[in-house]
Amino acid sequence: MGLVLVILKAIIVIEHLYIFWFEMFAWETVGKKTFKSLPTDLFPKTKGLAANQGLYNGFLAAGLGWTFFIENSYWQQNISIFFLLCIAVAGIYAALTAAKKIFFVQALPAILALILIFIAQ
């Protein structure tokens, strides 16, 4: 179960690094392809807002990625729980306010990782 959790956390980190990249640096290209329901003229106007969101996703990726380098298992687990909860809440909120598929892409993997952590206790 420990290996599954490590792999799931790594996938979540990679996903948030990708979100960080496209919201900060490729909003007007990848953003248009990702959020097809938004009018194309909106992307240049919202570039700064998207970059702000991307920065937060970068912080989530950095925080969860940091847990791979924490040697103390107690702190590694607690910090993992904190960042996974942040990601799950952000994903649930985004699913309610932006697009329902975000729940499955962002929140669900974090929730599954949290379940694995609590099962392993």
Side-chain angles (χ1 to χ4, degrees), residues 14-68:
I14 292 166
E15 175 187 21
H16 283 273
L17 287 173
Y18 172 74
I19 296 168
F20 161 78
W21 169 76
F22 96 72
E23 287 182 341
M24 289 213 54
F25 305 109
W27 181 244
E28 294 183 68
T29 55
V30 177
K32 287 179 185 177
K33 294 175 187 172
T34 304
F35 297 101
K36 295 175 185 171
S37 64
L38 296 176
T40 56
D41 66 318
L42 194 62
F43 288 90
K45 297 173 188 174
T46 59
K47 189 175 180 178
L49 294 171
N52 188 41
Q53 290 176 182
L55 186 61
Y56 289 117
N57 279 288
F59 289 142
L60 292 173
L64 190 58
W66 170 40
T67 64
F68 290 113

Side-chain angles (χ1 to χ4, degrees), residues 73-87:
S73 62
Y74 174 81
W75 283 106
Q76 181 190 50
Q77 178 177 326
N78 285 325
I79 294 170
S80 292
I81 290 169
F82 172 78
F83 281 101
L84 289 167
L85 281 171
C86 289
I87 292 167

